[in-house]
Short mmCIF file of all heavy atoms in Angstrom, two decimals:
data_model
loop_
_atom_site.label_atom_id
_atom_site.label_comp_id
_atom_site.label_asym_id
_atom_site.label_seq_id
_atom_site.Cartn_x
_atom_site.Cartn_y
_atom_site.Cartn_z
N THR A 49 -26.88 22.75 1.02
CA THR A 49 -26.97 22.39 -0.39
C THR A 49 -26.82 20.89 -0.54
O THR A 49 -26.17 20.23 0.26
CB THR A 49 -25.89 23.10 -1.22
OG1 THR A 49 -24.62 22.67 -0.79
CG2 THR A 49 -26.04 24.60 -1.17
N ARG A 50 -27.39 20.41 -1.60
CA ARG A 50 -27.38 18.97 -1.86
C ARG A 50 -26.12 18.58 -2.62
O ARG A 50 -25.71 19.24 -3.56
CB ARG A 50 -28.61 18.62 -2.68
CG ARG A 50 -28.81 17.15 -2.77
CD ARG A 50 -30.21 16.85 -3.28
NE ARG A 50 -30.24 15.42 -3.48
CZ ARG A 50 -30.59 14.83 -4.59
NH1 ARG A 50 -30.98 15.54 -5.62
NH2 ARG A 50 -30.58 13.53 -4.71
N GLN A 51 -25.51 17.48 -2.21
CA GLN A 51 -24.31 16.98 -2.86
C GLN A 51 -24.69 16.31 -4.18
O GLN A 51 -25.76 15.72 -4.30
CB GLN A 51 -23.64 15.96 -1.94
CG GLN A 51 -22.16 15.94 -2.04
CD GLN A 51 -21.54 15.08 -0.95
OE1 GLN A 51 -22.16 14.15 -0.45
NE2 GLN A 51 -20.33 15.39 -0.59
N SER A 52 -23.81 16.40 -5.18
CA SER A 52 -24.08 15.78 -6.47
C SER A 52 -24.08 14.25 -6.35
O SER A 52 -23.58 13.70 -5.37
CB SER A 52 -23.04 16.22 -7.50
OG SER A 52 -21.75 15.85 -7.08
N ALA A 53 -24.62 13.59 -7.35
CA ALA A 53 -24.71 12.13 -7.35
C ALA A 53 -23.33 11.51 -7.22
O ALA A 53 -22.36 11.99 -7.79
CB ALA A 53 -25.38 11.67 -8.64
N PHE A 54 -23.25 10.44 -6.46
CA PHE A 54 -21.97 9.77 -6.21
C PHE A 54 -21.60 8.83 -7.35
O PHE A 54 -20.44 8.78 -7.76
CB PHE A 54 -22.07 8.99 -4.89
CG PHE A 54 -20.78 8.33 -4.51
CD1 PHE A 54 -19.68 9.07 -4.10
CD2 PHE A 54 -20.65 6.95 -4.56
CE1 PHE A 54 -18.48 8.46 -3.75
CE2 PHE A 54 -19.46 6.32 -4.22
CZ PHE A 54 -18.38 7.08 -3.81
N GLU A 55 -22.55 8.09 -7.87
CA GLU A 55 -22.28 7.09 -8.92
C GLU A 55 -21.67 7.76 -10.14
O GLU A 55 -22.24 8.68 -10.71
CB GLU A 55 -23.58 6.37 -9.30
CG GLU A 55 -23.35 5.14 -10.15
CD GLU A 55 -22.57 4.05 -9.46
OE1 GLU A 55 -22.72 3.87 -8.24
OE2 GLU A 55 -21.79 3.38 -10.15
N GLY A 56 -20.46 7.32 -10.50
CA GLY A 56 -19.77 7.86 -11.67
C GLY A 56 -19.05 9.18 -11.43
O GLY A 56 -18.49 9.76 -12.34
N SER A 57 -19.06 9.64 -10.20
CA SER A 57 -18.48 10.95 -9.88
C SER A 57 -16.97 10.87 -9.68
O SER A 57 -16.38 9.80 -9.53
CB SER A 57 -19.11 11.51 -8.60
OG SER A 57 -18.68 10.73 -7.48
N HIS A 58 -16.35 12.05 -9.66
CA HIS A 58 -14.92 12.17 -9.35
C HIS A 58 -14.64 11.56 -7.98
O HIS A 58 -13.65 10.85 -7.79
CB HIS A 58 -14.51 13.65 -9.39
CG HIS A 58 -13.07 13.90 -9.10
ND1 HIS A 58 -12.09 13.82 -10.05
CD2 HIS A 58 -12.45 14.23 -7.95
CE1 HIS A 58 -10.92 14.09 -9.50
NE2 HIS A 58 -11.12 14.34 -8.23
N ARG A 59 -15.53 11.82 -7.04
CA ARG A 59 -15.37 11.27 -5.67
C ARG A 59 -15.35 9.75 -5.69
O ARG A 59 -14.57 9.12 -4.97
CB ARG A 59 -16.50 11.74 -4.75
CG ARG A 59 -16.43 13.21 -4.39
CD ARG A 59 -17.60 13.64 -3.51
NE ARG A 59 -18.84 13.55 -4.26
CZ ARG A 59 -19.96 12.96 -3.82
NH1 ARG A 59 -20.00 12.43 -2.62
NH2 ARG A 59 -21.04 12.93 -4.56
N GLN A 60 -16.21 9.15 -6.50
CA GLN A 60 -16.25 7.70 -6.57
C GLN A 60 -14.96 7.14 -7.18
O GLN A 60 -14.39 6.19 -6.65
CB GLN A 60 -17.45 7.22 -7.37
CG GLN A 60 -17.55 5.69 -7.38
CD GLN A 60 -18.65 5.18 -8.26
OE1 GLN A 60 -18.94 5.75 -9.31
NE2 GLN A 60 -19.28 4.10 -7.84
N VAL A 61 -14.51 7.74 -8.26
CA VAL A 61 -13.27 7.27 -8.90
C VAL A 61 -12.11 7.43 -7.94
O VAL A 61 -11.28 6.53 -7.78
CB VAL A 61 -13.01 8.03 -10.22
CG1 VAL A 61 -11.67 7.63 -10.82
CG2 VAL A 61 -14.14 7.78 -11.22
N ARG A 62 -12.05 8.56 -7.26
CA ARG A 62 -10.99 8.82 -6.28
C ARG A 62 -11.00 7.75 -5.18
O ARG A 62 -9.96 7.21 -4.81
CB ARG A 62 -11.22 10.21 -5.67
CG ARG A 62 -10.23 10.63 -4.65
CD ARG A 62 -10.65 12.01 -4.11
NE ARG A 62 -9.86 12.42 -2.99
CZ ARG A 62 -8.88 13.31 -3.05
NH1 ARG A 62 -8.59 13.91 -4.17
NH2 ARG A 62 -8.21 13.62 -1.97
N GLY A 63 -12.18 7.43 -4.68
CA GLY A 63 -12.30 6.41 -3.64
C GLY A 63 -11.84 5.04 -4.12
O GLY A 63 -11.16 4.32 -3.40
N ARG A 64 -12.17 4.71 -5.35
CA ARG A 64 -11.77 3.40 -5.91
C ARG A 64 -10.26 3.34 -6.11
O ARG A 64 -9.62 2.33 -5.81
CB ARG A 64 -12.52 3.13 -7.20
CG ARG A 64 -14.01 2.91 -6.94
CD ARG A 64 -14.80 2.79 -8.18
NE ARG A 64 -14.63 1.44 -8.72
CZ ARG A 64 -15.26 0.99 -9.79
NH1 ARG A 64 -16.07 1.79 -10.45
NH2 ARG A 64 -15.07 -0.22 -10.21
N VAL A 65 -9.68 4.42 -6.61
CA VAL A 65 -8.22 4.48 -6.80
C VAL A 65 -7.53 4.32 -5.45
O VAL A 65 -6.61 3.51 -5.30
CB VAL A 65 -7.81 5.79 -7.50
CG1 VAL A 65 -6.31 6.02 -7.40
CG2 VAL A 65 -8.25 5.78 -8.97
N LEU A 66 -7.97 5.07 -4.46
CA LEU A 66 -7.36 4.98 -3.13
C LEU A 66 -7.54 3.59 -2.53
O LEU A 66 -6.61 3.05 -1.91
CB LEU A 66 -7.96 6.04 -2.20
CG LEU A 66 -7.54 7.48 -2.50
CD1 LEU A 66 -8.37 8.45 -1.67
CD2 LEU A 66 -6.06 7.68 -2.27
N HIS A 67 -8.69 3.00 -2.71
CA HIS A 67 -8.96 1.65 -2.21
C HIS A 67 -7.92 0.66 -2.75
O HIS A 67 -7.32 -0.10 -1.99
CB HIS A 67 -10.37 1.22 -2.61
CG HIS A 67 -10.63 -0.24 -2.40
ND1 HIS A 67 -10.93 -0.78 -1.16
CD2 HIS A 67 -10.61 -1.28 -3.27
CE1 HIS A 67 -11.08 -2.08 -1.28
NE2 HIS A 67 -10.90 -2.41 -2.56
N PHE A 68 -7.72 0.66 -4.06
CA PHE A 68 -6.79 -0.30 -4.65
C PHE A 68 -5.34 0.01 -4.30
O PHE A 68 -4.54 -0.91 -4.12
CB PHE A 68 -6.99 -0.39 -6.16
CG PHE A 68 -8.25 -1.13 -6.52
CD1 PHE A 68 -9.32 -0.48 -7.10
CD2 PHE A 68 -8.38 -2.48 -6.24
CE1 PHE A 68 -10.49 -1.15 -7.42
CE2 PHE A 68 -9.55 -3.18 -6.54
CZ PHE A 68 -10.60 -2.50 -7.14
N LEU A 69 -4.98 1.28 -4.16
CA LEU A 69 -3.61 1.61 -3.77
C LEU A 69 -3.35 1.24 -2.31
O LEU A 69 -2.24 0.82 -1.97
CB LEU A 69 -3.32 3.09 -4.03
CG LEU A 69 -3.10 3.43 -5.50
CD1 LEU A 69 -3.05 4.94 -5.68
CD2 LEU A 69 -1.85 2.78 -6.04
N LEU A 70 -4.34 1.37 -1.46
CA LEU A 70 -4.18 0.93 -0.07
C LEU A 70 -4.00 -0.58 0.00
O LEU A 70 -3.21 -1.10 0.78
CB LEU A 70 -5.39 1.33 0.77
CG LEU A 70 -5.43 2.76 1.25
CD1 LEU A 70 -6.82 3.11 1.78
CD2 LEU A 70 -4.37 2.98 2.32
N LYS A 71 -4.74 -1.28 -0.84
CA LYS A 71 -4.74 -2.73 -0.84
C LYS A 71 -3.47 -3.32 -1.47
O LYS A 71 -2.92 -4.30 -0.98
CB LYS A 71 -5.97 -3.19 -1.61
CG LYS A 71 -6.32 -4.63 -1.50
CD LYS A 71 -7.66 -4.84 -2.19
CE LYS A 71 -7.95 -6.30 -2.33
NZ LYS A 71 -9.20 -6.53 -3.06
N GLU A 72 -2.99 -2.71 -2.55
CA GLU A 72 -1.91 -3.32 -3.33
C GLU A 72 -0.60 -2.52 -3.33
O GLU A 72 0.33 -2.87 -4.04
CB GLU A 72 -2.39 -3.54 -4.76
CG GLU A 72 -3.68 -4.33 -4.74
CD GLU A 72 -3.92 -5.13 -5.98
OE1 GLU A 72 -2.97 -5.40 -6.72
OE2 GLU A 72 -5.08 -5.49 -6.20
N LYS A 73 -0.53 -1.44 -2.60
CA LYS A 73 0.66 -0.62 -2.39
C LYS A 73 1.09 0.23 -3.58
O LYS A 73 1.24 1.41 -3.45
CB LYS A 73 1.86 -1.46 -1.90
CG LYS A 73 1.57 -2.31 -0.69
CD LYS A 73 1.14 -1.49 0.50
CE LYS A 73 0.80 -2.37 1.67
NZ LYS A 73 -0.33 -1.91 2.43
N ASN A 74 1.34 -0.36 -4.76
CA ASN A 74 1.68 0.47 -5.92
C ASN A 74 1.16 -0.18 -7.19
O ASN A 74 1.19 -1.40 -7.33
CB ASN A 74 3.19 0.74 -6.01
CG ASN A 74 4.00 -0.50 -6.26
OD1 ASN A 74 3.91 -1.11 -7.33
ND2 ASN A 74 4.83 -0.88 -5.31
N LEU A 75 0.63 0.66 -8.06
CA LEU A 75 0.01 0.17 -9.29
C LEU A 75 0.31 1.11 -10.44
O LEU A 75 0.51 2.31 -10.24
CB LEU A 75 -1.51 0.08 -9.10
CG LEU A 75 -2.02 -0.93 -8.07
CD1 LEU A 75 -3.48 -0.67 -7.77
CD2 LEU A 75 -1.83 -2.34 -8.59
N SER A 76 0.28 0.58 -11.64
CA SER A 76 0.43 1.39 -12.84
C SER A 76 -0.93 1.94 -13.26
O SER A 76 -1.98 1.47 -12.80
CB SER A 76 1.01 0.54 -13.98
OG SER A 76 0.06 -0.43 -14.39
N LEU A 77 -0.91 2.89 -14.16
CA LEU A 77 -2.15 3.44 -14.70
C LEU A 77 -2.98 2.33 -15.33
O LEU A 77 -4.19 2.25 -15.10
CB LEU A 77 -1.84 4.53 -15.74
CG LEU A 77 -3.03 5.13 -16.46
CD1 LEU A 77 -3.95 5.85 -15.48
CD2 LEU A 77 -2.57 6.07 -17.55
N ARG A 78 -2.35 1.47 -16.08
CA ARG A 78 -3.06 0.36 -16.75
C ARG A 78 -3.73 -0.57 -15.73
O ARG A 78 -4.87 -0.98 -15.90
CB ARG A 78 -2.08 -0.41 -17.62
CG ARG A 78 -2.72 -1.50 -18.43
CD ARG A 78 -1.68 -2.06 -19.43
NE ARG A 78 -2.27 -2.94 -20.38
CZ ARG A 78 -2.95 -2.57 -21.47
NH1 ARG A 78 -3.14 -1.30 -21.72
NH2 ARG A 78 -3.44 -3.47 -22.30
N GLN A 79 -3.01 -0.88 -14.64
CA GLN A 79 -3.59 -1.74 -13.60
C GLN A 79 -4.78 -1.05 -12.93
O GLN A 79 -5.80 -1.69 -12.68
CB GLN A 79 -2.53 -2.09 -12.55
CG GLN A 79 -1.48 -3.04 -13.07
CD GLN A 79 -0.32 -3.19 -12.10
OE1 GLN A 79 0.19 -2.21 -11.57
NE2 GLN A 79 0.08 -4.43 -11.86
N LEU A 80 -4.66 0.24 -12.66
CA LEU A 80 -5.77 0.98 -12.04
C LEU A 80 -6.97 1.02 -12.98
O LEU A 80 -8.11 0.88 -12.54
CB LEU A 80 -5.33 2.39 -11.67
CG LEU A 80 -4.46 2.48 -10.42
CD1 LEU A 80 -3.80 3.84 -10.31
CD2 LEU A 80 -5.28 2.18 -9.17
N GLU A 81 -6.69 1.19 -14.26
CA GLU A 81 -7.77 1.21 -15.26
C GLU A 81 -8.52 -0.12 -15.25
O GLU A 81 -9.75 -0.16 -15.27
CB GLU A 81 -7.14 1.47 -16.63
CG GLU A 81 -8.09 1.81 -17.71
CD GLU A 81 -7.36 2.13 -19.01
OE1 GLU A 81 -6.12 2.21 -19.05
OE2 GLU A 81 -8.07 2.30 -20.01
N GLN A 82 -7.78 -1.22 -15.20
CA GLN A 82 -8.40 -2.55 -15.20
C GLN A 82 -9.18 -2.81 -13.91
O GLN A 82 -10.30 -3.32 -13.94
CB GLN A 82 -7.34 -3.63 -15.38
CG GLN A 82 -6.72 -3.63 -16.76
CD GLN A 82 -5.51 -4.53 -16.87
OE1 GLN A 82 -4.90 -4.93 -15.88
NE2 GLN A 82 -5.14 -4.86 -18.10
N LYS A 83 -8.59 -2.45 -12.78
CA LYS A 83 -9.22 -2.74 -11.50
C LYS A 83 -10.46 -1.87 -11.24
O LYS A 83 -11.45 -2.35 -10.70
CB LYS A 83 -8.22 -2.57 -10.36
CG LYS A 83 -7.14 -3.64 -10.38
CD LYS A 83 -6.15 -3.43 -9.26
CE LYS A 83 -5.09 -4.49 -9.28
NZ LYS A 83 -5.58 -5.84 -9.12
N THR A 84 -10.39 -0.60 -11.61
CA THR A 84 -11.50 0.31 -11.33
C THR A 84 -12.55 0.30 -12.43
O THR A 84 -13.66 0.79 -12.21
CB THR A 84 -11.00 1.76 -11.17
OG1 THR A 84 -10.39 2.18 -12.39
CG2 THR A 84 -10.04 1.90 -10.01
N GLU A 85 -12.18 -0.22 -13.61
CA GLU A 85 -13.08 -0.21 -14.77
C GLU A 85 -13.49 1.21 -15.14
O GLU A 85 -14.63 1.49 -15.50
CB GLU A 85 -14.29 -1.11 -14.53
CG GLU A 85 -13.91 -2.55 -14.29
CD GLU A 85 -15.09 -3.45 -14.01
OE1 GLU A 85 -16.21 -2.96 -13.76
OE2 GLU A 85 -14.89 -4.68 -14.03
N VAL A 86 -12.53 2.12 -15.03
CA VAL A 86 -12.72 3.53 -15.36
C VAL A 86 -11.69 3.90 -16.42
O VAL A 86 -10.59 3.36 -16.43
CB VAL A 86 -12.53 4.41 -14.08
CG1 VAL A 86 -12.59 5.88 -14.40
CG2 VAL A 86 -13.56 4.04 -13.03
N SER A 87 -12.02 4.83 -17.31
CA SER A 87 -11.12 5.21 -18.40
C SER A 87 -9.82 5.83 -17.85
O SER A 87 -9.81 6.43 -16.77
CB SER A 87 -11.80 6.22 -19.33
OG SER A 87 -11.88 7.49 -18.72
N SER A 88 -8.76 5.67 -18.63
CA SER A 88 -7.47 6.21 -18.22
C SER A 88 -7.52 7.73 -18.08
O SER A 88 -6.84 8.30 -17.24
CB SER A 88 -6.36 5.78 -19.18
OG SER A 88 -6.62 6.25 -20.47
N THR A 89 -8.34 8.38 -18.89
CA THR A 89 -8.48 9.85 -18.81
C THR A 89 -9.01 10.26 -17.43
O THR A 89 -8.46 11.15 -16.79
CB THR A 89 -9.43 10.37 -19.90
OG1 THR A 89 -8.91 9.99 -21.17
CG2 THR A 89 -9.58 11.88 -19.84
N ARG A 90 -10.05 9.60 -16.97
CA ARG A 90 -10.62 9.90 -15.65
C ARG A 90 -9.64 9.58 -14.54
O ARG A 90 -9.49 10.33 -13.59
CB ARG A 90 -11.91 9.10 -15.41
CG ARG A 90 -13.05 9.36 -16.34
CD ARG A 90 -13.97 10.51 -16.00
NE ARG A 90 -14.39 10.69 -14.64
CZ ARG A 90 -15.43 10.10 -14.08
NH1 ARG A 90 -16.18 9.25 -14.74
NH2 ARG A 90 -15.75 10.36 -12.83
N ILE A 91 -8.96 8.44 -14.67
CA ILE A 91 -8.00 8.04 -13.63
C ILE A 91 -6.83 9.03 -13.59
O ILE A 91 -6.38 9.41 -12.51
CB ILE A 91 -7.50 6.60 -13.85
CG1 ILE A 91 -8.67 5.64 -13.64
CG2 ILE A 91 -6.35 6.27 -12.90
CD1 ILE A 91 -8.36 4.22 -13.99
N ARG A 92 -6.36 9.47 -14.75
CA ARG A 92 -5.27 10.46 -14.79
C ARG A 92 -5.66 11.73 -14.05
O ARG A 92 -4.84 12.32 -13.34
CB ARG A 92 -4.90 10.80 -16.23
CG ARG A 92 -3.97 9.83 -16.87
CD ARG A 92 -3.49 10.37 -18.22
NE ARG A 92 -2.73 9.36 -18.91
CZ ARG A 92 -3.19 8.61 -19.90
NH1 ARG A 92 -4.43 8.77 -20.33
NH2 ARG A 92 -2.43 7.71 -20.46
N GLN A 93 -6.89 12.19 -14.23
CA GLN A 93 -7.37 13.39 -13.54
C GLN A 93 -7.31 13.20 -12.02
O GLN A 93 -6.86 14.08 -11.30
CB GLN A 93 -8.80 13.73 -13.97
CG GLN A 93 -8.92 14.16 -15.40
CD GLN A 93 -10.38 14.25 -15.87
OE1 GLN A 93 -11.27 13.68 -15.25
NE2 GLN A 93 -10.58 14.94 -16.96
N VAL A 94 -7.76 12.04 -11.58
CA VAL A 94 -7.76 11.74 -10.14
C VAL A 94 -6.33 11.62 -9.63
O VAL A 94 -6.00 12.18 -8.58
CB VAL A 94 -8.56 10.44 -9.87
CG1 VAL A 94 -8.33 9.94 -8.46
CG2 VAL A 94 -10.05 10.68 -10.11
N LEU A 95 -5.47 10.92 -10.36
CA LEU A 95 -4.08 10.75 -9.94
C LEU A 95 -3.36 12.10 -9.86
O LEU A 95 -2.63 12.36 -8.89
CB LEU A 95 -3.34 9.82 -10.90
CG LEU A 95 -3.79 8.36 -10.88
CD1 LEU A 95 -3.12 7.60 -12.02
CD2 LEU A 95 -3.50 7.70 -9.55
N LYS A 96 -3.60 12.96 -10.83
CA LYS A 96 -2.98 14.29 -10.83
C LYS A 96 -3.40 15.07 -9.58
O LYS A 96 -2.56 15.66 -8.90
CB LYS A 96 -3.36 15.04 -12.09
CG LYS A 96 -2.74 16.41 -12.19
CD LYS A 96 -3.13 17.11 -13.48
CE LYS A 96 -2.54 18.51 -13.52
NZ LYS A 96 -2.96 19.24 -14.71
N ALA A 97 -4.69 15.05 -9.27
CA ALA A 97 -5.19 15.76 -8.09
C ALA A 97 -4.60 15.18 -6.81
O ALA A 97 -4.18 15.93 -5.92
CB ALA A 97 -6.72 15.69 -8.05
N LEU A 98 -4.55 13.86 -6.72
CA LEU A 98 -4.00 13.21 -5.51
C LEU A 98 -2.51 13.53 -5.34
O LEU A 98 -2.04 13.71 -4.21
CB LEU A 98 -4.23 11.70 -5.56
CG LEU A 98 -5.68 11.25 -5.35
CD1 LEU A 98 -5.84 9.77 -5.70
CD2 LEU A 98 -6.13 11.51 -3.92
N MET A 99 -1.77 13.62 -6.45
CA MET A 99 -0.35 13.98 -6.36
C MET A 99 -0.19 15.44 -5.93
O MET A 99 0.65 15.75 -5.10
CB MET A 99 0.36 13.71 -7.69
CG MET A 99 0.60 12.23 -7.93
SD MET A 99 1.66 11.87 -9.35
CE MET A 99 0.66 12.45 -10.70
N GLN A 100 -1.01 16.34 -6.47
CA GLN A 100 -0.96 17.75 -6.10
C GLN A 100 -1.30 17.95 -4.63
O GLN A 100 -0.78 18.85 -3.99
CB GLN A 100 -1.91 18.57 -6.98
CG GLN A 100 -1.42 18.72 -8.40
CD GLN A 100 -2.43 19.40 -9.30
OE1 GLN A 100 -3.64 19.42 -9.04
NE2 GLN A 100 -1.95 19.95 -10.41
N GLU A 101 -2.16 17.09 -4.11
CA GLU A 101 -2.56 17.17 -2.70
C GLU A 101 -1.56 16.47 -1.77
O GLU A 101 -1.71 16.51 -0.55
CB GLU A 101 -3.95 16.55 -2.52
CG GLU A 101 -5.03 17.34 -3.22
CD GLU A 101 -6.34 16.58 -3.31
OE1 GLU A 101 -6.57 15.64 -2.52
OE2 GLU A 101 -7.16 16.92 -4.20
N GLY A 102 -0.56 15.81 -2.35
CA GLY A 102 0.48 15.17 -1.55
C GLY A 102 0.14 13.77 -1.08
O GLY A 102 0.82 13.22 -0.22
N PHE A 103 -0.90 13.15 -1.64
CA PHE A 103 -1.29 11.80 -1.23
C PHE A 103 -0.54 10.70 -1.97
O PHE A 103 -0.43 9.58 -1.48
CB PHE A 103 -2.79 11.58 -1.44
CG PHE A 103 -3.65 12.32 -0.46
CD1 PHE A 103 -4.35 13.45 -0.85
CD2 PHE A 103 -3.75 11.91 0.86
CE1 PHE A 103 -5.14 14.14 0.04
CE2 PHE A 103 -4.54 12.59 1.76
CZ PHE A 103 -5.23 13.72 1.35
N LEU A 104 -0.07 11.01 -3.20
CA LEU A 104 0.57 10.01 -4.05
C LEU A 104 1.91 10.48 -4.55
O LEU A 104 2.15 11.68 -4.68
CB LEU A 104 -0.26 9.76 -5.32
CG LEU A 104 -1.60 9.10 -5.25
CD1 LEU A 104 -2.14 8.94 -6.67
CD2 LEU A 104 -1.53 7.77 -4.58
N VAL A 105 2.76 9.51 -4.88
CA VAL A 105 3.99 9.78 -5.62
C VAL A 105 4.00 8.83 -6.81
O VAL A 105 3.45 7.73 -6.75
CB VAL A 105 5.26 9.60 -4.78
CG1 VAL A 105 5.36 10.65 -3.70
CG2 VAL A 105 5.34 8.21 -4.17
N LYS A 106 4.64 9.28 -7.88
CA LYS A 106 4.79 8.44 -9.06
C LYS A 106 6.27 8.13 -9.20
O LYS A 106 7.11 9.02 -9.22
CB LYS A 106 4.29 9.18 -10.31
CG LYS A 106 4.38 8.34 -11.56
CD LYS A 106 3.85 9.09 -12.76
CE LYS A 106 3.97 8.20 -13.99
NZ LYS A 106 3.59 8.94 -15.21
N THR A 107 6.58 6.84 -9.28
CA THR A 107 7.94 6.39 -9.49
C THR A 107 7.94 5.55 -10.75
O THR A 107 7.32 4.48 -10.78
CB THR A 107 8.43 5.55 -8.28
OG1 THR A 107 8.24 6.32 -7.08
CG2 THR A 107 9.89 5.18 -8.44
N GLY A 108 8.59 6.04 -11.78
CA GLY A 108 8.53 5.36 -13.06
C GLY A 108 7.11 5.42 -13.57
O GLY A 108 6.55 6.48 -13.74
N GLU A 109 6.54 4.25 -13.77
CA GLU A 109 5.15 4.16 -14.25
C GLU A 109 4.18 3.74 -13.16
O GLU A 109 3.03 3.43 -13.43
CB GLU A 109 5.07 3.16 -15.43
CG GLU A 109 5.85 3.61 -16.65
CD GLU A 109 5.33 4.93 -17.21
OE1 GLU A 109 4.10 5.11 -17.34
OE2 GLU A 109 6.18 5.80 -17.54
N ARG A 110 4.64 3.72 -11.91
CA ARG A 110 3.80 3.22 -10.82
C ARG A 110 3.46 4.32 -9.83
O ARG A 110 4.26 5.21 -9.57
CB ARG A 110 4.51 2.06 -10.13
CG ARG A 110 4.81 0.93 -11.13
CD ARG A 110 5.41 -0.27 -10.48
NE ARG A 110 4.45 -1.09 -9.79
CZ ARG A 110 3.58 -1.92 -10.38
NH1 ARG A 110 3.54 -2.01 -11.67
NH2 ARG A 110 2.78 -2.65 -9.65
N TYR A 111 2.26 4.21 -9.26
CA TYR A 111 1.77 5.17 -8.27
C TYR A 111 1.73 4.51 -6.91
O TYR A 111 1.32 3.34 -6.78
CB TYR A 111 0.36 5.64 -8.67
CG TYR A 111 0.37 6.40 -9.97
CD1 TYR A 111 0.22 5.74 -11.18
CD2 TYR A 111 0.53 7.79 -9.97
CE1 TYR A 111 0.24 6.44 -12.39
CE2 TYR A 111 0.54 8.49 -11.17
CZ TYR A 111 0.40 7.82 -12.35
OH TYR A 111 0.42 8.50 -13.55
N THR A 112 2.14 5.26 -5.89
CA THR A 112 2.19 4.76 -4.51
C THR A 112 1.65 5.81 -3.57
O THR A 112 1.91 7.00 -3.76
CB THR A 112 3.65 4.43 -4.11
OG1 THR A 112 4.23 3.57 -5.10
CG2 THR A 112 3.73 3.75 -2.76
N LEU A 113 0.94 5.38 -2.54
CA LEU A 113 0.46 6.31 -1.52
C LEU A 113 1.63 6.77 -0.66
O LEU A 113 2.52 5.98 -0.34
CB LEU A 113 -0.58 5.65 -0.62
CG LEU A 113 -1.94 5.39 -1.24
CD1 LEU A 113 -2.79 4.55 -0.30
CD2 LEU A 113 -2.64 6.70 -1.56
N VAL A 114 1.61 8.03 -0.29
CA VAL A 114 2.61 8.58 0.64
C VAL A 114 2.24 8.11 2.03
O VAL A 114 1.09 8.21 2.44
CB VAL A 114 2.65 10.12 0.56
CG1 VAL A 114 3.58 10.69 1.61
CG2 VAL A 114 3.06 10.55 -0.84
N ARG A 115 3.19 7.60 2.75
CA ARG A 115 2.91 7.10 4.12
C ARG A 115 3.43 8.07 5.16
O ARG A 115 4.42 8.65 5.07
CB ARG A 115 3.58 5.74 4.34
CG ARG A 115 3.07 4.68 3.40
CD ARG A 115 1.86 4.07 3.95
NE ARG A 115 1.25 3.18 2.95
CZ ARG A 115 0.17 2.50 3.17
NH1 ARG A 115 -0.44 2.58 4.30
NH2 ARG A 115 -0.34 1.73 2.26
#
């Protein structure tokens, strides 16, 4: 089966969020919104999924990758 388009997809937003968290260690939702140029609603969906999968932790208002 053919994979859905990447541009604007959940996969793309997820990749951008992970990219910036790898680069900058911990970021707030607002910082991720500015860096990725994606709405906070979309970023929240990605962050929630990443936390459920055990990739991220939230401390206060900041998100960090689990090492």
Side-chain angles (χ1 to χ4, degrees):
T49 63
R50 191 166 174 234
Q51 213 171 27
S52 60
F54 183 70
E55 192 63 35
S57 69
H58 180 84
R59 289 178 293 132
Q60 183 185 36
V61 175
R62 180 183 172 103
R64 292 174 79 177
V65 166
L66 289 171
H67 167 79
F68 286 112
L69 285 171
L70 279 167
K71 192 173 170 183
E72 306 207 20
K73 307 300 178 219
N74 66 66
L75 295 167
S76 68
L77 176 63
R78 184 171 190 80
Q79 289 171 314
L80 284 166
E81 193 176 354
Q82 291 170 342
K83 291 179 180 300
T84 62
E85 299 178 348
V86 175
S87 74
S88 61
T89 302
R90 298 274 317 274
I91 293 172
R92 278 189 187 101
Q93 293 170 342
V94 168
L95 292 171
K96 182 179 177 183
L98 288 168
M99 286 189 294
Q100 288 173 338
E101 294 167 21
F103 288 106
L104 292 183
V105 292
K106 182 179 180 186
T107 306
E109 295 300 315
R110 301 185 78 76
Y111 296 88
T112 308
L113 288 172
V114 174
R115 298 274 172 180

